[in-house]
Amino acid sequence: MNTTIDKLTGSTVLITGAAMGMGKLYAQLAVKDGATHVVLWDINAEQLQETANELRGSGSEIHTQVVDLSRLESIEEAAEVLREGIGAPDILINNAGIVRGKCFWEHDQRSDIAATMNINTLALMHITREFLPSMIERRRTSRIVNVASAAGLLANPKMSVYSSSKWAVIGWSDSLRLELVQAGHQHIKVTTFCPSYIKTGMFEGARGPLLTPLLEPVPVTERVWRAMKEGTPMLMMPWTVKLSSALRGVLPLAAWDVVAGRVFGVYKSMENFTGRK
């Protein structure tokens, strides 16, 4: 069954982390593609309203909800409001995430470890669980995009907690894809996105490994959007992410450490990390 999406007329799109950066770009693409409803979730109320004001008047109905993705209760409340209002989304872009770039023992238990796991991992599961039953029942062509990271494929110094959060996303997201296929719910396609560093400010100061320049946000979101519409199961960007993942799988650990650390410079990529100020 060909379930490639052409236009989004009649569809509801929900985007998390939508106030700025990649989330805002996804929202612009949703409006451009003619989505009937575009729902923006973010914790930053002021920035969220500014983004919504920029998007209004272009044909789509823009909805905003201030949601703290680190709290299940906030997700449940927002999901209930959305279901009672315009209904569950047809397209879910689990985009929101945070990063803490420091050695593991420097992480604060709550503001670093718990926050990273709650926002980067558990929130994606909770949000998808809120809406997936409706997606299954309606039998309409639906999409779920889960933003993971190349860091979820390779260990890296000063990314221990962030990497673990994204490793979990990859395992969960691709398992969900397989479950939907086995259960016969092929009208729902899951795309797992694994990028290297992107120039959004989130990874300010990070240095791209050999042959892996920092990615430009606009072409990246356009490529993800196309993958979403086509139902692509896994998207890695750039090509070196797939190469490094393959090498990590075949080389002995000691050899890989030399290749990653000394040749590609992966293990030094976070040395000057500052993050978004």
Side-chain angles (χ1 to χ4, degrees):
M1 178 174 62
N2 183 5
T3 56
T4 299
I5 296 174
D6 183 19
K7 285 291 186 179
L8 302 185
T9 306
S11 296
T12 296
V13 180
L14 168 60
I15 304 160
T16 67
M20 63 181 72
M22 304 281 285
K24 181 177 178 179
L25 293 175
Y26 289 129
Q28 292 172 347
L29 289 169
V31 170
K32 181 180 178 181
D33 251 359
T36 300
H37 299 281
V38 179
V39 184
L40 314 178
W41 280 15
D42 206 288
I43 197 170
N44 188 328
E46 182 178 352
Q47 188 66 52
L48 187 63
Q49 195 56 52
E50 290 181 11
T51 296
N53 291 339
E54 291 178 24
L55 294 171
R56 289 191 172 108
S58 300
S60 300
E61 188 170 342
I62 309 299
H63 311 262
T64 61
Q65 292 179 277
V66 178
V67 186
D68 181 356
L69 296 184
S70 70
R71 297 176 53 249
L72 174 56
E73 295 79 9
S74 183
I75 292 171
E76 290 174 326
E77 291 168 6
E80 184 62 23
V81 169
L82 185 57
R83 280 193 299 266
E84 291 181 354
I86 60 176
D90 303 288
I91 296 170
L92 170 59
I93 310 293
N94 278 315
N95 165 75
I98 62 173
V99 61
R100 300 289 188 262
K102 61 184 80 173
C103 292
F104 176 71
W105 54 89
E106 297 172 341
H107 284 73
D108 179 81
Q109 294 275 43
R110 292 176 174 80
S111 62
D112 293 330
I113 297 176
T116 298
M117 298 307 295
N118 286 339
I119 295 171
N120 288 8
T121 309
L122 294 181
L124 282 68
M125 297 182 185
H126 292 320
I127 295 166
T128 303
R129 179 60 183 84
E130 284 290 328
F131 299 119
L132 189 54
S134 294
M135 290 180 170
I136 291 172
E137 183 178 352
R138 285 187 314 213
R139 303 297 302 175
R140 283 162 49 177
T141 297
S142 301
R143 294 287 188 269
I144 300 169
V145 175
N146 296 312
V147 177
S149 171
L153 299 165
L154 302 171
N156 195 15
K158 295 191 175 182
M159 297 188 80
S160 56
V161 176
Y162 179 79
S163 291
S164 66
S165 73
K166 296 301 187 178
W167 279 42
V169 168
I170 293 170
W172 162 72
S173 181
D174 209 40
S175 295
L176 173 61
R177 174 187 67 84
L178 294 171
E179 290 172 353
L180 290 168
V181 171
Q182 287 189 352
H185 306 311
Q186 298 191 44
H187 60 290
I188 305 171
K189 304 293 185 185
V190 178
T191 297
T192 307
F193 177 41
C194 301
S196 184
Y197 302 126
I198 304 174
K199 292 181 182 178
T200 61
M202 182 174 176
F203 280 98
E204 189 67 34
R207 182 177 58 193
L210 180 68
L211 303 177
T212 309
L214 270 63
L215 299 170
E216 295 291 341
V218 171
V220 168
T221 52
E222 290 174 347
R223 180 66 188 91
V224 174
W225 200 253
R226 187 164 72 251
M228 176 274 292
K229 294 170 74 173
E230 294 171 352
T232 303
M234 182 79 69
L235 176 63
M236 301 180 187
M237 292 184 71
W239 63 273
T240 49
V241 173
K242 187 176 292 187
L243 172 63
S244 59
S245 181
L247 289 174
R248 173 64 184 86
V250 299
L251 291 176
L253 184 56
W256 167 249
D257 282 347
V258 171
V259 171
R262 298 180 186 176
V263 179
F264 285 101
V266 174
Y267 292 171
K268 296 183 178 181
S269 63
M270 290 288 285
E271 284 186 344
N272 299 313
F273 170 83
T274 58
R276 182 181 284 121
K277 299 299 184 181

